[in-house]
Amino acid sequence: MPDDGILLLARASGRDLLMAASDLLEVLPAGPVTPLPGPLPGIAGVVLYEGEFLPVLDWGALPGAGGEVAGATSMAVLKRRLALPLEFLSGALEGGREGMRIEPPGEDPWAPFMVCACAIEGPALPLLDPDKLIDWLHQRRTSR
Amino acid sequence: MDQPFEDVWAEWEDLFGQARQTLASLKESQPAHVVQAGVSALFRTTHTLKGMAGMLGFPSFSRAAHRMEDIFDLMRKGRLRSTDSLVETLEAGMQALESGFEGLKRGRPEPEDYLQGLRRELGELEALARPAAGESQDLSALLDLPAEPLKALSDYERTRVTSALMDGLPIHGLAICLDFATFDDRLRRFSEGMARQGEIISTLPWEVPEGREGLAFMILLAGSAPELDGLATEPGEILEVRLLADPEWVPKSLRAEVGAEAEPVPAPATEAAPEPSPALPAQETEILRLPAQRVEALEARLMSVAQMRDALSGLLRHAPPAQAEVPLGILGRMEEGLLDVQKALLQMRMVKVETLFSRIEPMVRMLGRDMGKPVRLTLQGGDLEMERGIVGRLAEPFLHLVRNAMDHGLEPPEERRAMGKSETGSLRITASRRGRIIRFDIRDDGRGFDLAKIEEKGLAQGLLQPGLPVSQERLHRLALEPGFSTLDRVSQISGRGVGMDVVREEIEALGGEILLSSEWKRGSLVRLSLPLSRVVVGCLKVRSGGQTFGIPLANVLRVQVGHVVYRGGDRVQVLGMELPFESLQVCLGQGDPPEGQRAFVVLSQPGGSAGASFEISLGVDEVYGRAEILLRSLPELAQVPGIMGGSLQEEGILWVLDPEAVLGLAMDSLMRRVAHA
């Protein structure tokens, strides 16, 4: 099992999810997102980050969207230069997936961009795979 | 790659860049002392490269740099004469080292001998310069100097004294006495002034005259007696000027012996009475080496200051005009200042395209000679500037493309003659800028791509479907496919190193694209288009669909705002032409503006495939000014068709249109309208 280090527990698009802290550059307070001047699947717009434009994920474009979604309070910046708006960040789990129950993504609508589903107790949560997520976004672009 | 290594690579790039420039300058007619200074600089450069390579664990590179260093040492000691053919060999040697360096950067293993291809030429040079057994000339004893200062001369300085005398140059001494407080600055000025008159061989400590305080020096100059007028001396500084040694004092037998052995440099006519020559490369210019991240951090900080300025400006716009007028004026000037600083920061990252061209020229000459193919090389656009990092990464793909053109494109002279072509082939490389794109065209007038053979191979390798028609464009692109067999294209010249697929990979990794085209027996064109990540663009500012846009002024022919309402598909009479009208909103996929539009911009894209320009009337909601803006690219995930990038402005992000793409989108839309009519 890979060493995930710290896992962050967050809520986005009405769902709880896990992210490996090692996949992130930082978590920032959410700011206004400037929409792009044309439709782009999966991208809500851009924010200015360290002097450069940073695309912001549109969770609503992901499969399984449609639940009640609160406004974003923070924004996780992936190392692969994509911002993920988060409704809130609820905690951090040290030790990664150690001691957790690991399940395959199965029928989860987010399966195309999950590493796996993990749980200590209660329902398993999706662990986000940034590479798969970005590949998925690229595929959406090219298949337009 | 970690930061320390990036710093080392950057330093190596600088060293190679300086070496290229110096080598190029050696081919120009220059006074001997300027040539000497250049050769000494090259000696130091190769010495540094040798040391750094050894320290970093590249023994083979270190050996090769050592060999080049030895040759430069032989030159600076006067044992090899600087001739065009010698400089060409040295250029080829430095080129081989530089190509090797590119390989090291990419983590490739070291070759056994970087200079393998030049073994014969370098061997001949070394043999030519080798002294006769046991012989070592030293004419420094002829100098009319006391014993103590004479002892202070280094071996190299003794060699230079000998070489100058054997070349027929006298050695003059200028004794000076300088104040303690200012001696370093004054000595530097003396040295600079003297260096314009001849080669400074040494600066020796000298005895301070009785009753004086300060520091005294004797500057040894190879050449005529120094002209003191140009030295801006101060009273009492000059102690004496004297002839220290004259070529006439050298025994005739010795002159003949050395002349036969080492082919000394004949003294150019200008050396007897040296003309004031251009200053040597400014050694006093301080070069700062900064990690790129520091500049990036500064840019980011500047951006946040600009954001604060915009926020303040926004607040002021809600204040009563009488109170806001003055502060808004100050903010306007602040914006100009910020843009100036942004431009200056941008400039720090830029280098001229000619730094890339300077690597191509010697290689083309060498390949032309080795392959027996006379070539007329034309380079255009060297003054354009690109980001240093991009230029560095372009070097190897470029060299590969040029090698390919020389090897596979251009025919041998006899074949060209039989085809009615000039025996001298043509290779034309042009760089031009289109918005934020730098375009390189590499054209040759050779045989072009053999599309029939490419198709045959494509079918054989399963890259093409039998029986299906295939376009010329597709066939050309096959040459860029990984694994596309080039068995019968491999040669000593272009069968080694990177392949076309690697060239494509590198160009695409830079966010660019490569296009090939050719005409059989007429020539080929390789076009590389590379985006600049940041660039300052003059724009017309417009509003459309609730957003603000910048249209590059270079593509704006006319702006018109009137009473007539236009809708997509209308024809507009303007500039004596009837142009189709399409709304920018529609081009960007946002639907027709329900009320139509009264304002439009005549957008033009000059120089289409047939060389003619192409225009359209582009509808917008409002035209509200013009500005010079710092354009930033959009990351790939956020790239929207028709948009070149964006710039943070007072009113938010201003999206800058890509005129060529917008024209394409407009034409698509107009054709859909016709189809649905």
Side-chain angles (χ1 to χ4, degrees):
Chain A
M1 180 190 300
D3 178 15
D4 302 312
I6 297 171
L7 292 180
L8 298 180
L9 179 60
R11 189 170 180 83
S13 191
R15 287 191 69 177
D16 291 327
L17 77 152
L18 294 166
M19 291 178 290
S22 57
D23 287 332
L24 304 181
L25 283 174
E26 60 180 318
V27 180
L28 303 167
V33 176
T34 304
L36 290 161
L40 210 51
I43 300 296
V46 291
V47 290
L48 210 61
Y49 176 71
E50 292 181 342
E52 302 290 343
F53 292 123
L54 183 70
V56 179
L57 179 70
D58 173 12
W59 290 105
L62 267 52
E68 194 176 327
V69 180
T73 60
S74 56
M75 199 168 278
V77 181
L78 294 178
K79 282 182 180 165
R80 288 200 56 189
R81 298 274 161 177
L82 176 68
L84 311 180
L86 303 175
E87 289 162 40
F88 54 82
L89 197 62
S90 41
L93 306 172
E94 291 205 28
R97 281 176 270 172
E98 204 170 324
M100 294 180 113
R101 194 177 77 245
I102 308 296
E103 295 172 5
E107 298 298 310
D108 192 309
W110 285 5
F113 27 82
M114 280 167 62
V115 178
C116 60
C118 315
I120 301 176
E121 52 191 31
L125 302 177
L127 173 59
L128 196 72
D129 185 328
D131 291 336
K132 286 183 183 170
L133 175 61
I134 288 171
D135 287 349
W136 184 84
L137 288 170
H138 278 299
Q139 281 165 18
R140 292 293 303 272
R141 279 183 68 93
T142 50
S143 63
R144 278 205 306 167
Chain B
M1 189 180 294
D2 55 17
Q3 185 56 43
F5 251 87
E6 282 190 358
D7 287 348
V8 172
W9 297 144
E11 192 168 347
W12 283 30
E13 275 172 19
D14 282 350
L15 289 170
F16 279 119
Q18 288 161 14
R20 280 198 304 274
Q21 276 186 347
T22 312
L23 278 166
S25 75
L26 291 185
K27 286 181 284 183
E28 292 160 13
S29 172
Q30 302 201 69
H33 67 279
V34 176
V35 173
Q36 185 66 23
V39 172
S40 294
L42 287 162
F43 169 77
R44 287 193 298 275
T45 298
T46 42
H47 180 77
T48 307
L49 287 171
K50 175 187 75 174
M52 289 171 87
M55 212 163 61
L56 294 170
F58 302 125
S60 186
F61 192 98
S62 184
R63 274 197 305 278
H66 189 177
R67 194 165 182 196
M68 294 300 293
E69 177 195 358
D70 281 348
I71 305 246
F72 289 122
D73 194 29
L74 291 168
M75 283 179 80
R76 73 186 191 131
K77 286 177 175 165
R79 291 195 168 274
L80 284 173
R81 179 166 47 176
S82 174
T83 61
D84 279 358
S85 86
L86 169 64
V87 173
E88 281 178 22
T89 303
L90 294 172
E91 279 181 329
M94 292 306 287
Q95 181 95 57
L97 282 184
E98 195 165 357
S99 297
F101 155 67
E102 299 291 348
L104 293 180
K105 268 203 313 191
R106 289 170 166 75
R108 292 191 195 137
E110 280 206 291
E112 184 64 30
D113 183 1
Y114 288 83
L115 302 171
Q116 171 75 20
L118 292 163
R119 216 166 40 173
R120 183 179 55 78
E121 289 90 337
L122 294 178
E124 280 173 7
L125 289 177
E126 285 155 353
L128 185 69
R130 197 171 296 132
E135 184 205 350
S136 175
Q137 293 296 342
D138 181 3
L139 299 180
S140 61
L142 293 176
L143 292 170
D144 179 15
L145 286 172
E148 280 306 309
L150 203 52
K151 273 193 222 164
L153 287 174
S154 69
D155 285 349
Y156 173 64
E157 289 164 345
R158 287 170 194 277
T159 313
R160 292 309 306 150
V161 168
T162 306
S163 179
L165 290 171
M166 297 309 300
D167 291 350
L169 290 174
I171 312 286
H172 280 88
L174 173 70
I176 51 175
C177 185
L178 307 172
D179 281 348
F180 280 121
T182 57
F183 84 91
D184 47 353
D185 181 51
R186 295 295 303 149
L187 181 60
R188 184 173 57 80
R189 285 172 189 275
F190 267 105
S191 301
E192 286 172 359
M194 298 273 282
R196 282 193 280 271
Q197 302 187 34
E199 178 192 352
I200 294 181
I201 289 179
S202 182
T203 301
L204 298 169
W206 201 245
E207 195 174 337
V208 179
E210 268 190 46
R212 289 282 302 271
E213 286 196 345
L215 291 168
F217 302 91
M218 171 65 85
I219 303 175
L220 273 58
L221 180 78
S224 309
E227 289 178 15
L228 302 181
D229 291 351
L231 295 179
T233 58
E234 289 179 8
E237 284 186 329
I238 304 287
L239 298 178
E240 64 171 320
V241 178
R242 76 156 99 144
L243 178 66
L244 297 178
D246 191 284
E248 288 301 313
W249 304 348
V250 179
K252 284 204 170 87
S253 58
L254 207 52
R255 265 183 270 170
E257 191 185 327
V258 176
E261 182 262 315
E263 278 194 73
V265 185
T270 51
E271 282 183 342
E275 294 287 320
S277 59
L280 298 178
Q283 291 173 353
E284 71 273 19
T285 305
E286 190 183 4
I287 305 290
L288 288 180
R289 184 177 302 285
L290 291 173
Q293 289 91 333
R294 277 204 210 167
V295 179
E296 280 163 16
L298 193 56
E299 284 178 329
R301 184 79 190 103
L302 195 63
M303 185 58 75
S304 62
V305 173
Q307 280 171 306
M308 283 185 255
R309 188 204 65 84
D310 294 340
L312 182 57
S313 175
L315 288 175
L316 282 170
R317 288 194 187 284
H318 293 102
Q323 289 174 22
E325 188 181 349
V326 173
L328 278 173
I330 295 170
L331 282 175
R333 290 198 293 280
M334 191 189 283
E335 180 167 354
E336 285 169 20
L338 284 171
L339 186 64
D340 283 346
V341 180
Q342 284 173 322
K343 278 187 194 171
L345 283 172
L346 184 65
Q347 196 61 35
M348 282 186 197
R349 301 163 169 275
M350 307 301 259
V351 289
K352 289 197 170 172
V353 166
E354 69 190 16
T355 60
L356 184 63
F357 287 173
S358 68
R359 297 182 62 174
I360 292 168
E361 209 170 353
M363 192 182 74
V364 168
R365 204 170 37 245
M366 187 184 70
L367 289 177
R369 191 185 56 213
D370 291 353
M371 293 191 286
K373 292 181 178 178
V375 187
R376 187 177 59 254
L377 174 68
T378 311
L379 299 167
Q380 284 180 332
D383 279 343
L384 283 173
E385 292 186 326
M386 289 184 82
E387 282 150 279
R388 184 193 187 92
I390 298 181
V391 170
R393 287 177 65 180
L394 276 179
E396 196 169 354
F398 236 93
L399 296 180
H400 180 77
L401 292 171
V402 169
R403 274 197 297 263
N404 256 0
M406 294 282 295
D407 194 19
H408 305 308
L410 296 178
E411 311 90 339
E414 57 279 13
E415 193 179 325
R416 291 179 65 87
R417 200 170 45 242
M419 293 165 71
K421 291 181 175 179
S422 156
E423 283 187 14
T424 302
S426 164
L427 182 60
R428 175 182 290 270
I429 303 176
T430 57
S432 57
R433 189 174 132 188
R434 290 165 181 253
R436 62 180 268 275
I437 301 289
I438 292 267
R439 180 183 281 177
F440 289 98
D441 282 350
I442 303 163
R443 290 174 196 272
D444 67 67
D445 69 345
R447 53 173 72 95
F449 286 76
D450 187 344
L451 296 183
K453 193 179 268 185
I454 290 178
E455 185 169 8
E456 186 186 314
K457 284 186 178 174
L459 288 166
Q461 292 183 25
L463 296 167
L464 296 174
Q465 296 284 324
L468 290 180
V470 55
S471 68
Q472 288 203 356
E473 189 188 341
R474 169 78 180 122
L475 289 173
H476 279 110
R477 283 198 73 79
L478 272 189
L480 301 170
E481 290 289 333
F484 187 74
S485 170
T486 55
L487 264 184
D488 60 352
R489 299 197 303 141
V490 171
S491 77
Q492 275 294 97
I493 306 300
S494 53
R496 301 175 296 175
V498 294
M500 286 297 279
D501 58 322
V502 181
V503 172
R504 185 182 77 169
E505 202 173 277
E506 190 69 33
I507 299 300
E508 288 180 349
L510 289 167
E513 61 176 356
I514 176 169
L515 286 172
L516 306 182
S517 58
S518 70
E519 204 174 333
W520 182 233
K521 295 186 177 176
R522 299 288 297 275
S524 309
L525 166 67
V526 180
R527 173 167 288 170
L528 309 179
S529 301
L530 291 143
L532 296 167
S533 72
R534 286 157 218 211
V535 65
V536 175
V537 185
C539 281
L540 183 75
K541 291 161 86 169
V542 302
R543 274 188 247 277
S544 170
Q547 287 182 299
T548 56
F549 296 89
I551 306 177
L553 285 168
N555 297 84
V556 175
L557 278 189
R558 166 71 75 89
V559 177
Q560 194 159 313
V561 183
H563 299 293
V564 182
V565 174
Y566 295 102
R567 295 176 193 281
D570 287 351
R571 309 291 295 182
V572 179
Q573 292 291 334
V574 60
L575 296 170
M577 301 180 282
E578 190 186 71
L579 297 177
F581 177 96
E582 187 52 279
S583 168
L584 174 58
Q585 262 183 249
V586 174
C587 296
L588 298 175
Q590 296 169 338
D592 270 309
E595 308 295 324
Q597 285 168 316
R598 297 171 196 276
F600 64 84
V601 174
V602 177
L603 190 65
S604 168
Q605 179 62 43
S609 56
S613 63
F614 173 54
E615 291 89 21
I616 195 169
S617 300
L618 188 69
V620 297
D621 297 337
E622 185 188 354
V623 178
Y624 71 104
R626 52 189 288 178
E628 235 186 356
I629 56 145
L630 182 71
L631 172 71
R632 284 156 199 278
S633 295
L634 283 166
E636 197 188 341
L637 272 179
Q639 279 174 11
V640 177
I643 302 297
M644 196 191 274
S647 175
L648 187 69
Q649 299 286 296
E650 192 179 310
E651 58 272 26
I653 293 176
L654 179 95
W655 301 109
V656 179
L657 301 184
D658 176 346
E660 195 169 352
V662 169
L663 280 163
L665 292 168
M667 290 313 293
D668 289 348
S669 170
L670 287 166
M671 284 198 283
R672 277 196 300 273
R673 288 182 194 278
V674 172
H676 294 152

